[in-house]
Amino acid sequence: MAANNDVPERREQPGRVAFGDFLAHLRTKGFVIGIDQELRVQRLLARLEGECSPEELPTLLCPIIASSEKEQREFYREFDLYLQQQYNFSGADVT
């Protein structure tokens, strides 16, 4: 709790923090991600609540983030690279 005991401490869920970081990473790669898309990602993740594997996430998230075929390829590539770099996870092959 906060010092004044009136306002509870805000605690982010680990998955949402990680995806916030991932969305920021995508922005550095040239993806234009608006608040609407960010909210849609958050709603999707809240609905899933750990009910899918990391391998399934890109298929669910890509339609929210990427609109063109080129963006879709880049999204999948960046998703795999990000997981490998941040979490030492090896999902699909990165080509």
Side-chain angles (χ1 to χ4, degrees):
M1 295 294 274
N4 68 7
N5 292 330
D6 292 333
V7 180
E9 261 183 41
R10 182 176 174 192
R11 294 179 190 234
E12 297 286 341
Q13 295 177 346
R16 289 197 180 174
V17 171
F19 275 95
D21 292 346
F22 176 61
L23 295 178
H25 168 78
L26 288 176
R27 286 182 178 108
T28 68
K29 299 297 181 180
F31 283 82
V32 177
I33 302 168
I35 291 178
D36 180 53
Q37 290 163 301
E38 201 163 330
L39 290 173
R40 288 175 61 199
V41 167
Q42 288 178 6
R43 282 189 220 119
L44 175 65
L45 294 174
R47 259 193 3 234
L48 294 174
E49 286 295 322
E51 292 185 20
C52 72
S53 69
E55 294 88 356
E56 295 172 300
L57 282 174
T59 305
L60 299 170
L61 295 172
C62 186
I64 296 172
I65 304 296
S67 55
S68 71
E69 188 175 328
K70 179 183 178 202
E71 281 184 345
Q72 291 170 10
R73 283 193 306 270
E74 286 294 313
F75 174 86
Y76 286 116
R77 183 177 187 284
E78 291 301 328
F79 187 91
D80 290 340
L81 287 172
Y82 186 80
L83 285 183
Q84 288 173 7
Q85 292 171 354
Q86 299 297 316
Y87 303 103
N88 200 21
F89 174 81
S90 180
D93 290 333
V94 177
T95 55

